[in-house]
Amino acid sequence: GRAAVILDPTKARIALFRGNDPGATDTDSPPAVGHFGWFQLMVPAPADAAAFYGALTPWTLVADEAEGASPQWKASRNGKPAAGIIETPDEANFPPCWLPYVCVAEVEPVVAKAAALGAEVWVESMDVPGFGRFAVLSQAAGGMIALWTPEPAEAAEPAAAPAPAEGETPEA
């Protein structure tokens, strides 16, 4: 494959990569434990970032205009969620950056282990409806990462009851 690291117009660094099998990352499976499952770009001007990444990538970007919320965009590729772009929180003391989310079975035990190993907890574990539970950590050199337990798909959209087999009657 080939890769390059660029500084986007918002001053966030990103590595662009094209593997030998460009379709290898297209999957209908939910992200597995230990894999990166989400990426969040935090910048002062999310609309500018959305315009840049919308022109650069095959993503479809949609503004999420929830009342009272900070400006944010959701990126999707082939109808599947790919990333988010949000306004840097006022209390944040870091430059524009991409925050990778690693999937874990349970957030709290991994946060506790990371803290015991010297990580600093930036955002305590919290639930976000429709997304799951996450926490944000940094390590001594300043690298940041989020730990994430996705909300189960069945919690977001209940499965339909199976149809009765031929000759059976539905239970009341």
Side-chain angles (χ1 to χ4, degrees):
R2 295 179 59 99
V5 177
I6 65 167
L7 196 61
D8 75 17
T10 69
K11 306 294 186 231
R13 285 180 175 79
I14 185 168
L16 306 174
F17 175 75
R18 179 170 176 88
N20 293 327
D21 181 2
T25 58
D26 289 340
T27 177
D28 288 327
S29 302
V33 168
H35 290 231
F36 291 105
W38 184 253
F39 300 90
Q40 190 80 36
L41 177 59
M42 295 180 286
V43 295
D48 295 345
F52 173 76
Y53 285 101
L56 179 69
T57 68
W59 293 344
T60 300
L61 285 126
V62 177
D64 185 356
E65 300 177 7
E67 190 172 325
S70 297
Q72 59 182 321
W73 277 254
K74 298 235 166 66
S76 62
R77 180 170 180 245
N78 299 330
K80 298 173 202 144
I85 302 172
I86 64 169
E87 187 171 36
T88 307
D90 291 336
E91 66 277 5
N93 188 21
F94 52 83
C97 65
W98 280 96
L99 178 63
Y101 284 64
V102 174
C103 293
V104 296
E106 292 182 54
V107 172
E108 283 76 10
V110 182
V111 168
K113 184 175 183 177
L117 293 169
E120 182 180 345
V121 178
W122 280 57
V123 176
E124 294 287 341
S125 300
M126 63 185 291
D127 292 312
V128 176
F131 184 70
R133 188 163 185 79
F134 80 100
V136 179
L137 310 171
S138 70
Q139 43 88 341
M144 293 176 58
I145 196 161
L147 303 172
W148 174 44
T149 302
E151 190 170 88
E154 58 272 10
E157 196 171 323
E166 190 174 319
E168 289 184 351
T169 57
E171 295 181 22

